[in-house]
């Protein structure tokens, strides 16, 4: 034990200094506000304007209203298509329109969106052909739209994995001198996955311009938020990564757009990622195949009707005098036409080409795949012959 | 005797196991009030309380690692992975801990847990919901891997899996969940490590497991028209594997086709083919052939039938078993 | 768009209520203090006593000193054994003695410890035979001690995975009516892994009695903390799980034991997990095989000598009059004897039995393993014969 | 011509690739200042700056998922998994995204990334540091899997992997890192999808890859004393696999032993054995035999030699290739 004495000797002189004076609160600027940001009351009457989250221009809000109305009509139509067997399954986001549309309106077309299976409305709001949006659920291929051209990743099913992709994409873009922002949608349940942790942390460490947008709709299929976290709210996860965070009333379209706009500016200005938690609610079952009566009662759902984001924004815009019956009717007609066109196009059975299964496994099929393709080609030919004979 | 679905038999196995052994706890995503997306845990929470059957945070590594800890405390966790591809986040916990803990500690600690994995396709599921992942587990020493193809096996193998002192990856063929059959519960069928001849035949042996078994049986029926009398062996227990039954069958018939739904390359079917040709070389009139899924990511619903081993594909393959004892032209060419 | 009007109508009457008054800060009691808890100055002089962390009984501190001294001597010996080729590799924790010993002293023997490869000193402090502690690194088997009997998991190498096991074990124990606490050691780097996130979250949601003890020694092999997190400190991760957290000067033995004691009480009293971050430093390379000159300079290491935890505690205990030259000498001799005995026992080549490879893969070997065992048995017999002939 | 180690050749391949293509970025754990625990990235950060070669947070799913995002932005990430078993946390990212993204998007997005995995044992490493994990990747459609056994192949295959438009899991046999040979860089050897005959022989074919290749060559040398002239085929490219070269060799020799270090059950060797017996049935004088690691978790250092395929084990197996054209007594009994 020779080290101790000398260590003590060494220690003595230098360490008589006082403990450094208490530093300022290190979590300052990283914690969310205790209450979700709100700019409109549920009935659409405005709350006092606030410094931190200036209200978006009214034209933007009007456009937001339009896309929310069309989005909801699309969503209702998609659910109807499942009943007619045109879609294998459909996860509705009715009730989450403010988040779905706000998440997209806050971005430029050159920014990247990382949607989940829940984000069909966000995709239509982004201007993606609704039939291409539904390709995955219709079952003729996986991703129906051109992800590269639309700067929109394929809808992600393996939960939270997109959080890491968004960090990488955003960092890669800035690394190459582009001011792209990536916005990753994620659900409340998915925040429990390790990839949420790793993704947000990578974004924070590399100061990647990402907005992590948590739509806390209170359920992961049947599992309530209380089984996902014991935290005061999901927005409190940000500080653990050094990521500024805030929470917003997800059914207040004005607040959602205001908060996301600031979050996107924060990211684009090189300050790194921002975490937003929106408190919202899905009015429909998890998917058309889900039986929600097993885990929540009608009253709970009913109560949320009072917080309908579309009614809320409509009331406000009418109040502001930028929306009247005529305008509402025009938008409603547009939504109807949109849905009708979708219905018609979805009635046509899509053409699928079995041999295309081999086209994109690799840039060039391996010899083994070429062999298998020949086998399938032969099977198809034989089948056609039989049909011919028949 | 009552007619019931495989889903119901699995549910009954869980209920009976929980009844017989207080240490059995069932958890995962949506297994509580919802009863699981396939309703395999239906009613368990209501019957046994939310401490015996409960929902967890949405995190598969967490679910499996939590089960490891519970097992260390003396419990017998049965966890549900909601779908095959959603067990991948738990791969490290499964490969580095579940499979190895007993060995690492010379038996001081063991991991008697069951990881239930609804797997394979044929249900029109979208991407990530139809993977056949059994080979990943079968290739990992320390895990047992079983998969039922019948209603009674579903019950019996699951009961045995829960009683087993070692970790069992219990692969449930989704497309068979709602297939039904006469079943007498509590049924106890052949134990782990036993393959079963589902159909006796003399001309060739079809070796299959899980979702491929019904295909094999259908093909064997259809083959009669072609004048082939095919034997069908249901592997049931991938690890441990029953060489004796498979070998005996192929020695009798002299020909063998191995059928699996998973992509073929380095799959369980490759192992079976390699074992059979080694053990039955002098009895074989033709090479052991394989019918497997294509070596592609699982296709979208409208294309899955092209991917899945079909009765026609099995028959085409049987036809290549060199009945004329002439070499396969495809390879002579090469 | 039929829903909107009626939604508005419904909305109006019920939603005139005011926004609820601002709630109290939801993060209260979850955030760490801005400065690491410290009860001794680096030179061992005491700081003012504090309410929140009462000083542990002096006997406990004296015992802590003893185990730290023996532990360090063990650690030095183990490093020496690598030079003699008796150990394949050894990850030293010299400099982290306060954490290694404190983490164990705060627990009962019936509590469970989840150590990493770094925790050799913690294991010896727990009274585990040092040869059994070194089995893994000597290479005759994986885990050398009886994990069940010692309530000590095998040293965990796959980083952060033990965080989930600790949650499960602790929950399982309380589920079965036992008041066991689990303490999981984890490094700063490993907090970036998804399993840290999932483990702490499971513990929080299930109120499992776990203490997560992060030894932040500033490096993950060569990677500095700045590449792991942008958070003010790792202790700020707790609030995101609703887990109370604190940070402590990891080289202040008195503070470490005080903080861990409170953390363990918190867990045992049914309040759920507690997260502790200890700021410390490893004085040696990551392992004997590591070349630390590639990532940190000698001055940095030197500076930490002034904060030597053993010297610090020794000075304090001498000051308190519970330790004198004689007592120090006795403990030093004990440490020497401990190391000498270890050296001798490690000089003997351990007996290994090749056929034991098949004993614990499963409770009963599979037919395939029996076959393989017979093959190996035959090979060994043949080899012996050849030797015989030779 | 200069003598160099495989480690140096890999390092040179990374450096040359970074020099030739600005889009190439190298990252992982300890790859920066430290140059990787095996020094494969030694000097890259100093030479190309800490934006081209950098350390990441300690999270493998994060590393691989981050690479996916970087690839989407147009870069060419090369990531290092520090050891085989430490790639398991990234399994979901690899299986569900890296392997599938091109296919899911009909080629709109691709993932030209290289995942470097130092694998296998023989270096006295402790648990979790010596896994042979190649089969997990080879069984996953969408991934290419290659593994060098020579110094020049290490350079050439890594360069090709980085240039490849598809994701490549690049398996580096740890025990060969510091084996050295004469090498002329920049070497370009046979491309992906090509196996190479390392030693010509007439009596039997030993098929091996990665760490098993030197064992096969040594065994072939030793076999001369026993009067056997063995051919050795180095697979190199597991996916895509070179049937032509392997099949041609076995047709010439009429006997085949497949050697792999990984646990045998459902490994790559099973696939090779299954393919060979199907394609060479009429040329085979004996079943295709396999020599593989035992079906156990990788053993502690002092016991690894019992686990690893040894020259003796290979020779014992060659001896069982029915040179007298008599059935293998072990299976006749059964
Ligand atoms: C890794 C993984 N595990 C499980 C699932 C199955 N799954 C699909 S959606 C879902 C619930 C997700 O809940 P949340 O994150 O809150 O999003 P929401 O559906 O509410 O929008 C689950 C468990 C999955 N897709 N991926
Ligand atoms: C999942 C996983 N990835 C990588 C490694 C390799 N590895 C071993 S120790 C280490 C650094 C860990 O640093 P930290 O968590 O700070 O603990 P420390 O070694 O400093 O005590 C790494 C990367 C591992 N063991 N497990
Ligand atoms: Mg949700
Ligand atoms: Mg560290």
């Amino acid at each position: 034990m020779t080290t101790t004495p000398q260590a003590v000797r060494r220690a003595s002189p230098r360490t008589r200094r006082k403990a450094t004076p208490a530093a300022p609160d290190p979590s300052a600027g990283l914690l969310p506000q205790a209450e979700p940001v709100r700019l409109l009351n549920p009935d659409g009457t405005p709350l006092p304007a606030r410094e931190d989250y200036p209200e978006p221009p009214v034209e933007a809000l009007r456009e937001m209203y339009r896309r929310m109305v069309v989005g909801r009509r699309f969503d209702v139509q998609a659910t109807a298509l499942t009943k007619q067997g045109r879609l294998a399954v459909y996860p509705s986001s009715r009730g989450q329109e403010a988040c779905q549309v706000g998440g997209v309106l806050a971005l430029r077309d050159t920014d990247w969106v990382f949607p989940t299976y829940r984000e069909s409305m966000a995709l239509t709001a982004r201007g993606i052909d609704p039939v291409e949006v539904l390709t995955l659920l219709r079952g003729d291929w996986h991703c129906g739209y051109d992800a590269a051209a639309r700067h929109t990743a394929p809808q992600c099913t393996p939960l939270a994995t997109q959080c890491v992709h968004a960090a990488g994409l955003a960092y890669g873009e800035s690394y190459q001198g582009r001011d792209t922002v990536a916005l990753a949608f994620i659900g409340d349940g998915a925040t429990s996955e390790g990839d949420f942790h790793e993704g947000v942390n990578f974004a924070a460490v590399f100061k990647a311009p990402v907005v992590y947008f948590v739509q806390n709709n209170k359920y992961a299929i049947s599992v309530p938020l209380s089984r996902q976290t014991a935290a005061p709210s999901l927005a409190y996860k940000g500080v653990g990564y050094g990521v500024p965070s805030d929470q917003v009333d997800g059914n207040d379209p004005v607040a959602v757009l205001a908060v996301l706009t600031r979050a996107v500016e924060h990211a684009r200005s090189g300050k790194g990622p921002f975490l937003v938690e929106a408190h919202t609610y899905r009015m429909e079952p998890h998917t058309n195949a889900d039986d929600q009566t097993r885990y929540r009662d009608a009253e709970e759902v009913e109560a949320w009707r009072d917080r309908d984001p579309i009614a809320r924004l409509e009331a406000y815009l009418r109040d502001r005098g930028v929306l009247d019956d005529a305008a509402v009717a025009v938008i409603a007609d547009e939504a109807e036409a949109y849905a009708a066109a979708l219905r018609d196009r979805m009635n046509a059975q899509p053409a699928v080409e079995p041999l295309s299964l081999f086209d994109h496994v690799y840039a060039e099929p391996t010899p083994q795949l070429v062999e298998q393709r020949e086998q399938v080609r032969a099977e198809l030919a034989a089948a056609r012959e039989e049909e011919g004979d028949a | 005797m009552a007619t019931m679905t495989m889903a119901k038999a699995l549910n009954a196995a869980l209920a009976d196991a929980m009844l017989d052994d207080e240490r059995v706890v069932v958890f995962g995503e949506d297994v509580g009030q919802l009863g699981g997306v396939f309703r395999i845990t239906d009613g368990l929470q209501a019957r046994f309380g939310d401490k015996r059957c409960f929902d967890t945070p949405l995190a598969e590594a967490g679910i499996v690692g939590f089960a490891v800890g519970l097992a260390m405390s003396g419990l017998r966790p049965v966890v549900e992975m909601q779908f095959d591809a959603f067990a991948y986040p738990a791969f490290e916990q499964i490969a580095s801990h579940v499979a190895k803990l007993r060995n690492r500690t010379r038996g001081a600690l063991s991991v008697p847990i069951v990881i239930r994995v609804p797997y394979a396709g044929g249900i029109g599921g979208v991407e990530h919901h139809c993977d056949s992942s059994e080979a990943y587990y079968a290739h990992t020493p320390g895990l047992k891997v079983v998969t039922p193809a019948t209603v009674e096996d579903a019950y019996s193998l699951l009961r045995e899996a829960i009683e087993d002192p070692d970790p069992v990856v219990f692969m449930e063929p989704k497309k068979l969940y709602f297939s039904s059959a006469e079943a007498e519960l509590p049924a106890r069928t052949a134990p782990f490590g036993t393959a079963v001849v589902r159909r006796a035949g003399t001309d060739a042996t079809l070796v299959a497991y899980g979702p491929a078994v019904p295909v094999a049986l259908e093909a064997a029926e259809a083959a009669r028209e072609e004048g082939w009398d095919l034997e069908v062996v249901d592997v049931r227990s991938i690890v441990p594997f029953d060489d004796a039954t498979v070998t005996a069958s192929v020695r009798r018939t002299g020909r063998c086709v191995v059928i699996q739904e998973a992509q073929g390359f380095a799959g369980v079917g490759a192992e079976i083919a390699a074992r059979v040709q080694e053990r039955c070389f002098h009895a074989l009139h033709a090479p052991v052939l394989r019918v497997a899924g294509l070596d592609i990511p699982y296709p979208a619903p409208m294309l899955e039938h092209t991917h899945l081993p079909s009765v026609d594909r099995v028959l085409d393959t049987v036809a290549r078993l060199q009945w004329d004892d002439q070499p396969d032209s495809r390879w002579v060419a090469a």
Side-chain angles (χ1 to χ4, degrees), chain A residues 74 78 85 160 259 265 285 326 379:
Chain A
F74 161 85
V259 170
E265 277 164 12
E379 287 174 4

Side-chain angles (χ1 to χ4, degrees), chain A residues 1 3-4 7-8 10-11 14-16 20 22-23 25-27 30-31 34-35 42-43 45 69 72 191-194 196-198 201 204-206 226-232 236-237 239-242 302 305-306 308 310-311 314 332 336:
Chain A
M1 278 298 313
T3 67
T4 312
V8 171
R10 247 212 237 78
R14 295 206 213 124
T15 50
R16 295 258 174 257
T20 50
D25 176 5
S27 64
L30 299 175
L31 290 169
E35 290 287 310
D43 64 0
T45 54
V69 170
R72 173 172 294 182
T191 62
S192 297
E193 291 278 6
F196 168 79
H197 178 71
E198 299 189 15
N201 194 48
V205 166
F206 291 108
S226 59
R227 267 295 147 113
Q228 299 302 341
T229 187
Y236 284 85
K237 291 185 182 290
V239 62
Y241 308 104
E302 263 316 303
R305 290 197 192 285
D306 300 345
D308 182 75
I310 293 180
E314 179 174 335
E336 280 310 319

Side-chain angles (χ1 to χ4, degrees), chain B residues 299-318:
Chain B
M302 290 185 185
L303 287 162
E304 70 179 347
H305 60 278
T306 304
H307 173 70
L308 297 171
S310 63
V311 168
D312 283 348
R313 202 169 283 168
V314 172
L315 292 177
D316 290 349
T317 308
V318 170

Side-chain angles (χ1 to χ4, degrees), chain A residues 117-118 157-159 187-190 193 217 219-221 282 286, chain B residues 29-30 58 60 82 86 89:
Chain A
Y117 51 89
R118 180 76 57 206
T157 303
L159 295 166
D188 49 308
E193 291 278 6
N217 63 6
Y219 289 92
I221 305 184
R282 72 169 149 76
H286 174 68
Chain B
E29 296 156 6
D30 303 290
L58 211 174
E60 293 75 14
Q82 199 159 76
F86 307 144

Side-chain angles (χ1 to χ4, degrees), chain A residues 61-120:
Chain A
L61 295 174
R62 201 177 178 295
E63 178 57 20
M64 188 175 187
Y65 172 77
R66 196 186 126 262
R67 298 197 201 185
M68 285 167 68
V69 170
V70 174
R72 173 172 294 182
R73 187 63 188 84
F74 161 85
D75 188 84
V76 170
Q77 185 59 55
T79 298
L81 286 166
T82 62
K83 302 208 170 59
Q84 298 146 29
R86 289 291 172 198
L87 287 182
V89 62
Y90 180 73
S92 168
S93 49
R94 195 160 64 79
Q96 304 179 207
E97 291 86 355
C99 298
Q100 295 273 315
V101 175
V104 159
L105 266 187
L107 299 173
R108 302 175 183 165
D109 289 350
T110 50
D111 291 331
W112 271 79
V113 175
F114 288 79
T116 78
Y117 51 89
R118 180 76 57 206
E119 270 63 68
S120 300

